[in-house]
């Protein structure tokens, strides 16, 4: 018998166990699928239906997070005028960044990616998703309460969102203009929400290229150690 605990619980509703061989196949199939995800900077203006973005956001909203406060907000921008404002504000920050604010070491690290202050994709891609983390948010009774592990929660949800969009057949770019406080004003989000990432999504351009550098992934032995 499970010990009696002082909270309401429901039986684990939808867990599926697979035979080990199937587990292996599924693990490998997912590895191969997610390995086809590449950060893209060349987007097509081709429209993407809103309902597909909504479904991917619902997937992101299932992410594990601090105290289940779900301390995130996704502001989805499709309005060309707002996209133009975001591009102008982001490029202003990026010009300062690439002109020296970043420092020589950081700029050297970015050279193999070929990035620069020009961000045309912010107007070309059909959707920009500004991802905010809320330091506090209203509970069911409307009273503001503190949130926990906000950066961790928002980052995990963003990972789910990127995987969901990729799985649906869309390309993404995790863009981080710094600072990006301008997103609060443009997206009309309150001061207790901090912008974390501006996720660009849509179809890749027909002739999209990616930096070769980005295709070089560390082998397992470099990213993991087993203590057995
Ligand atoms: N935010 C800048 C710079 C930049 C920083 C890192 I770290 C990257 O991996 C890529 C870009 C830009 O978007 O250009």
């Amino acid at each position: 018998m499970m010990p009696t605990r002082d909270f309401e619980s429901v039986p684990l509703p939808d867990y599926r166990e697979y035979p080990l061989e199937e587990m292996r196949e599924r693990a490998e199939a997912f590895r191969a699928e997610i390995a086809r995800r590449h950060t893209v900077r060349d987007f097509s203006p081709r429209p993407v239906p809103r309902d597909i973005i909504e479904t991917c956001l619902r997937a992101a909203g299932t992410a594990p997070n601090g105290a289940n406060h779900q301390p995130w907000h996704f502001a989805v921008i499709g309005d060309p005028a707002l996209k133009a404002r975001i591009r102008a504000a982001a490029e202003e920050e990026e010009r300062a960044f690439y002109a020296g604010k970043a420092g020589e070491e950081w700029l050297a690290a970015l050279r193999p990616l070929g990035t620069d202050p020009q961000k045309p994709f912010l107007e070309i891609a059909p959707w920009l998703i500004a991802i905010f983390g809320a330091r506090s948010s209203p509970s069911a009774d409307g009273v503001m309460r503190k949130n926990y592990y906000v950066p961790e929660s928002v980052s995990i949800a963003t990972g789910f969102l990127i995987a969901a969009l990729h799985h649906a057949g869309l390309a993404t770019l995790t863009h981080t203009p710094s600072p990006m406080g301008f997103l609060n004003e443009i997206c009309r989000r309150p001061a207790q929400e901090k912008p974390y990432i501006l996720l660009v999504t849509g179809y890749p351009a027909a002739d999209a290229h990616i930096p070769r550098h980005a295709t070089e992934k560390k082998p397992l032995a470099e990213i993991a150690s087993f203590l057995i």
Side-chain angles (χ1 to χ4, degrees):
M1 279 293 283
M2 296 286 283
T4 316
R5 298 199 193 97
D6 190 20
F7 68 99
E8 251 192 86
S9 69
V10 293
L12 183 62
D14 36 22
Y15 173 76
R16 289 185 196 164
E17 179 177 318
Y18 304 104
L20 280 182
E21 222 12 71
E22 193 176 343
M23 200 185 267
R24 261 183 207 105
E25 284 164 16
R26 292 177 63 92
E28 169 52 25
F30 185 78
R31 184 208 61 74
E33 167 72 11
I34 205 72
R36 291 193 308 100
R37 184 212 61 83
H38 305 287
T39 291
V40 162
R41 293 181 179 80
D42 306 327
F43 282 89
S44 156
R46 209 168 139 198
V48 170
R50 169 176 166 164
D51 68 282
I52 292 168
I53 304 299
E54 288 179 347
T55 302
C56 293
L57 289 168
R58 285 195 185 94
T62 68
N65 66 91
N68 198 32
H69 287 194
Q70 302 160 63
W72 41 62
H73 182 85
F74 303 92
V76 188
I77 300 115
D79 176 358
L82 290 183
K83 289 198 278 184
R85 280 177 64 192
I86 289 174
R87 177 181 180 184
E91 287 186 340
E92 194 179 322
E93 301 295 359
E94 298 294 359
R95 277 193 293 274
F97 177 91
Y98 285 97
K101 207 180 107 189
E104 194 36 51
E105 188 178 353
W106 197 349
L107 292 177
L110 292 179
R111 236 157 257 142
L113 297 177
T115 54
D116 62 34
Q118 253 96 269
K119 306 298 176 192
F121 49 75
L122 293 175
E123 285 190 88
I124 296 169
W127 298 109
L128 309 179
I129 308 176
I131 305 175
F132 294 84
R135 284 180 274 268
S136 61
S137 40
S139 57
D141 53 14
V143 177
M144 290 301 279
R145 62 186 181 177
K146 189 177 151 32
N147 292 331
Y148 306 95
Y149 294 103
V150 176
E152 293 85 348
S153 303
V154 171
S155 304
I156 297 168
T158 300
F160 274 34
L161 180 57
I162 292 167
L165 291 164
H166 167 71
H167 185 69
L170 292 168
T172 57
L173 166 62
T174 35
H175 182 44
T176 51
S178 168
M180 51 180 150
F182 62 84
L183 286 174
N184 284 74
E185 195 200 324
I186 295 175
C187 304
R188 287 181 256 115
R189 299 310 304 169
Q192 71 270 18
E193 289 185 8
K194 178 186 151 166
Y196 277 83
I197 283 167
L198 185 56
L199 193 70
V200 183
T201 193
Y203 290 96
D207 62 345
H209 280 58
I210 61 168
R212 188 186 308 283
H213 174 73
T215 67
E216 291 160 12
K217 299 301 180 193
K218 292 181 182 176
L220 181 65
E222 254 180 70
I223 64 166
S225 50
F226 284 68
L227 301 107
I228 53 171

